[in-house]
């Protein structure tokens, strides 16, 4: 069960909706693509799925068809208002399993979610995909796994491991929360309007962080500092955070990390060890960015 190209365009016309780039709106118009996402996510009857940016419902309807409850967070008031009617027209018996929340998912901690989601399945707005994914994993701890669609290059970065060419801040921060893997590719032709980039599907499964969760801010600030000057050695890139290159070297050595290595060689557990050493040396946790 899904919404094809004709149905999506007809819904948009009926509600006077034109997709806008500023809101990252690219609606999926291919039934096969959304069916594949639901299958890859392993959605089962009774699951509570968090969907961000449901748009006109092309993914929402298949999620409900699989028997899940869907908590759909939509920023656009018109789209949020139209979604229940779309579901009623295609799956009248599933209307009571749809829960529309109007609001900004990048501030999900402030939203009143009617149910505790266990899965996160969404076609994410590409302009905020990484911070949104990290925000959900931080502030909705009941989410244990999911599949999200993002820009192809972003998918590569999120799933990259230490030493990889595109390994960076998003890779490490996602690894704090979950094990990520690339589970598919999506062509531009499945969207309306057609974007200029390919898309990728990222599957993730939550795991425990490498150290206590209250150390997250210090770890993320250390990651930001290390990759802020990724061509430099860690002794150099962490010097401003530590107070000097000498203090950075001491912390790195205390953490068992070679001061002459670069940020892209370290995994999240090693960054956690470095952050802990910096904290023991009196460096304040600092403020990390959700990039």
């Amino acid at each position: 069960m899904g919404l094809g190209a004709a149905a999506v365009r007809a819904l948009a016309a009926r509600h006077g909706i034109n997709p806008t780039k500023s809101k990252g709106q690219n609606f999926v118009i291919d039934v096969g693509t959304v069916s594949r996402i639901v299958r890859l996510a392993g959605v089962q009857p009774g699951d509570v799925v968090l969907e961000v940016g449901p748009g006109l419902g092309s993914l929402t309807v298949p999620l409900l068809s699989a028997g899940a409850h869907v908590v759909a967070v939509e920023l656009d008031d018109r789209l949020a208002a139209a979604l229940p009617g779309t579901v009623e027209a295609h799956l009248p018996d599933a209307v009571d399993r749809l829960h529309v929340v109007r609001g900004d998912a990048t501030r999900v901690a402030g939203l009143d979610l009617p149910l505790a989601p266990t899965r996160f399945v969404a076609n994410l707005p590409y302009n905020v995909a990484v911070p949104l994914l990290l925000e959900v994993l931080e502030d909705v701890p009941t989410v244990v796994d999911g599949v999200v669609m993002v820009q192809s290059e972003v998918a590569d970065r999120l799933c990259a491991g230490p030493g990889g060419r595109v390994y960076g801040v998003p890779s490490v921060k996602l690894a704090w929360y979950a094990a990520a893997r690339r589970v598919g590719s999506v062509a531009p032709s499945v969207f309306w309007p057609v974007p200029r980039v390919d898309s990728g599907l990222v599957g993730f499964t939550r795991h425990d962080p490498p150290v206590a969760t209250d150390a997250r801010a210090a770890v993320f600030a250390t990651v930001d500092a290390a990759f802020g000057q990724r061509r430099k050695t860690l002794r150099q890139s962490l010097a401003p955070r530590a107070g000097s290159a000498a203090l950075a070297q001491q912390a790195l050595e205390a953490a068992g990390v070679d001061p002459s290595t670069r940020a892209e060689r370290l995994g999240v557990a090693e960054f956690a060890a470095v952050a802990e050493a910096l904290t023991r040396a009196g460096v304040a946790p600092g403020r990390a960015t959700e990039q």
Side-chain angles (χ1 to χ4, degrees):
M1 174 71 69
L3 306 178
V8 171
R9 288 191 172 95
L11 281 168
R14 183 183 311 158
H15 296 288
I17 293 168
N18 293 310
T20 61
K21 184 177 181 180
S22 63
K23 293 182 179 179
Q25 291 174 333
N26 293 93
F27 301 137
V28 181
I29 57 174
D30 181 68
V31 175
T33 297
V34 290
S35 297
R36 177 162 61 116
I37 292 172
V38 173
R39 184 175 67 253
L40 288 169
V43 177
Q44 300 292 325
D47 285 348
V48 180
V49 176
L50 175 63
E51 184 187 7
V52 168
L56 291 163
S58 53
L59 178 57
T60 313
V61 170
L63 288 169
L64 291 167
S65 184
H69 291 261
V70 176
V71 178
V73 179
E74 178 56 65
L75 181 62
D76 189 305
D77 287 343
R78 293 176 303 165
L79 290 170
L83 191 57
T86 300
V87 170
E88 186 170 13
H90 290 81
L91 289 172
D93 293 339
V95 174
D96 62 342
R97 288 188 278 111
L98 173 67
H99 312 272
V100 180
V101 178
R102 300 190 188 194
D104 183 355
T106 62
R107 297 178 176 84
V108 70
L111 299 178
D112 184 16
L113 303 183
L115 298 173
T118 55
R119 286 194 158 123
F120 183 30
V121 185
N123 169 28
L124 297 183
Y126 289 178
N127 53 345
V128 293
V130 172
L132 201 158
L133 175 58
L134 297 177
E135 180 80 11
V136 166
L137 287 169
E138 173 64 20
D139 291 322
V140 190
T142 54
V143 168
V144 297
D145 59 21
V147 172
V148 294
M149 181 154 55
V150 297
Q151 186 175 334
S152 184
E153 292 179 357
V154 173
D156 289 341
R157 288 198 292 272
L158 287 170
C159 299
R165 181 178 59 84
V166 296
Y167 181 73
V169 173
S171 323
V172 183
K173 291 184 178 180
L174 179 54
W176 169 271
Y177 299 104
R181 59 208 180 276
R182 182 158 179 158
V183 295
S185 299
V186 179
S189 58
V190 309
F191 295 96
W192 171 62
V194 178
R196 296 180 180 179
V197 296
D198 291 338
S199 301
L201 300 175
V202 175
F204 66 88
T205 303
R206 187 188 289 272
H207 56 209
D208 291 335
V211 294
T213 56
D214 59 4
R216 183 190 70 90
V219 175
F220 280 19
T222 301
V223 171
D224 289 337
F227 280 100
Q229 303 180 69
R230 66 181 296 154
R231 292 186 179 182
K232 295 185 176 182
T233 66
L234 285 170
R235 181 181 187 275
Q236 295 171 303
S237 62
L238 291 179
R241 175 158 170 73
S244 70
L247 291 174
Q249 178 164 333
Q250 291 176 17
L252 288 161
E253 290 174 344
V257 174
D258 182 354
S260 67
T261 196
R262 289 177 169 77
E264 61 265 24
R265 310 303 303 182
L266 269 60
V268 66
E270 293 165 300
F271 273 113
V274 173
E276 184 179 11
L278 287 168
T279 299
R280 288 200 304 268
V283 176
R287 182 178 179 182
T289 60
E290 300 290 359
Q291 50 183 303

